[in-house]
Amino acid sequence: AVVLFTSVMLARFLDRGVIFTTQLALQSLLVVLLPAPDGGVFTRSVDAIVGGVFALVVTMLAPRDPRREPKSNIRELLHELSAVLRQCSEAIAKSDSTVAWHALVRARNTQPQLDTLARSVRDAREVARISPAYRRYLAELGDLRGSIGFLDLAVRNSRVFARRTTSVINHASLNDEAIENVAEVVNDTADAVDILARALGGGEGNDARLRHLRQARNELAAVGSRLHPKALGITDLQGDALIMLFRPLVVDLLESTGLTHEEAVTYLSEI
């Protein structure tokens, strides 16, 4: 019990992943329960060291592209975010709060994807750091890690926005003009997120990545310039609050394209 408890606590301190904790706990039980080998109690330790060294050598000399998994994960996450925004747009256009609630549930279900994405980028950076063949990708993986933080905020803001959308629809706070304009703005944001997915999660070269980043930035800037309640035809206080909640989401997405916070805010319409 003492060995198992110590192993679990050490595993949680080193890595919060469930798989790593389970593996370390099982190995500790094997060491305690199995009889000591003929070579002495440290024979298994020597075997583990030899196996670990060979694994590192193989990783250094013949690794797979470390960018593949994090790019795939970030693409899936952004496609989910785009789908959430499109559901919110549909809910506003149809004045259907049930669709907005489904968007909220979908946004909440992205948390495991965010956790997986953070781990995959961290693992990819470790592989790139020790592998001479892929060390040149460290800068790109660093940019991805920076974008993930802003995408995390954007996803969290999408949950807040979807929840507020449900309330706004239930209270019939938007007139016909505002419904059309807000639904269009949210849908345009989803289009920009799809472009961002190609930029951050695509398998194309660096030139294509930068081109898609610029395109996504321009699309998001166009959305930000329209985010003023009066410009969207909103006359109700709850509608004003809905747009105020959407503005930080657009800022987060702009920052994920490589802009600073100050630069991203300048693209928003002044209130």
Side-chain angles (χ1 to χ4, degrees):
V2 171
V3 170
L4 180 60
F5 177 79
T6 303
S7 300
V8 170
M9 291 299 101
L10 178 62
R12 297 296 289 176
F13 176 77
L14 295 175
D15 189 314
R16 307 192 74 173
V18 176
I19 295 178
F20 181 78
T21 302
T22 303
Q23 288 177 336
L24 193 56
L26 289 175
Q27 295 303 318
S28 68
L29 287 177
L30 289 176
V31 170
V32 173
L33 297 178
L34 294 179
D38 296 335
V41 293
F42 292 106
T43 300
R44 294 195 189 96
S45 299
V46 174
D47 292 341
I49 292 172
V50 173
V53 169
F54 272 96
L56 285 174
V57 170
V58 171
T59 301
M60 292 173 60
L61 298 180
R64 65 175 184 174
D65 190 340
R67 302 171 301 168
R68 185 182 308 168
E69 184 176 355
K71 282 191 172 186
S72 174
N73 291 337
I74 203 169
R75 186 167 58 249
E76 292 175 3
L77 175 66
L78 286 173
H79 285 164
E80 278 298 296
L81 177 58
S82 174
V84 169
L85 294 175
R86 293 192 193 282
Q87 279 189 304
C88 289
S89 176
E90 179 186 356
I92 294 170
K94 295 181 178 180
S95 296
D96 190 339
S97 60
T98 301
V99 177
W101 180 256
H102 289 164
L104 173 59
V105 172
R106 188 168 192 167
R108 286 173 173 170
N109 289 338
T110 59
Q111 191 57 48
Q113 289 179 293
L114 282 167
D115 297 338
T116 301
L117 176 58
R119 285 196 300 270
S120 66
V121 170
R122 182 192 60 200
D123 295 344
R125 282 176 56 83
E126 291 176 355
V127 171
R129 192 175 291 113
I130 66 173
S131 173
Y134 293 114
R135 197 166 295 160
R136 64 184 184 275
Y137 297 137
L138 272 174
E140 183 179 348
L141 289 169
D143 292 340
L144 275 180
R145 185 177 64 174
S147 296
I148 288 171
F150 299 118
L151 293 179
D152 189 352
L153 294 174
V155 170
R156 293 178 189 275
N157 280 324
S158 73
R159 299 167 189 166
V160 178
F161 178 75
R163 185 165 56 246
R164 173 56 63 177
T165 299
T166 304
S167 175
V168 168
I169 293 173
N170 286 334
H171 290 86
S173 302
L174 299 178
N175 55 44
D176 292 342
E177 179 187 1
I179 287 174
E180 182 180 353
N181 291 334
V182 174
E184 182 181 359
V185 162
V186 176
N187 194 65
D188 288 346
T189 306
D191 291 339
V193 171
D194 287 335
I195 298 172
L196 187 60
R198 291 198 294 271
L200 299 179
E204 301 168 314
N206 189 58
D207 291 340
R209 180 174 68 90
L210 294 176
R211 185 174 65 254
H212 286 139
L213 275 178
R214 284 193 299 268
Q215 185 180 359
R217 188 180 301 137
N218 292 336
E219 295 290 334
L220 290 167
V223 169
S225 66
R226 300 172 60 190
L227 292 181
H228 191 291
K230 290 183 179 179
L232 295 173
I234 294 174
T235 57
D236 185 89
L237 186 60
Q238 288 204 44
D240 289 351
L242 183 68
I243 299 304
M244 293 301 103
L245 290 174
F246 195 67
R247 286 165 66 95
L249 190 155
V250 174
V251 170
D252 294 332
L253 291 174
L254 281 167
E255 289 184 80
S256 72
T257 67
L259 296 179
T260 65
H261 180 74
E262 291 73 18
E263 291 171 337
V265 170
T266 60
Y267 288 104
L268 295 180
S269 174
E270 293 187 5
I271 298 298

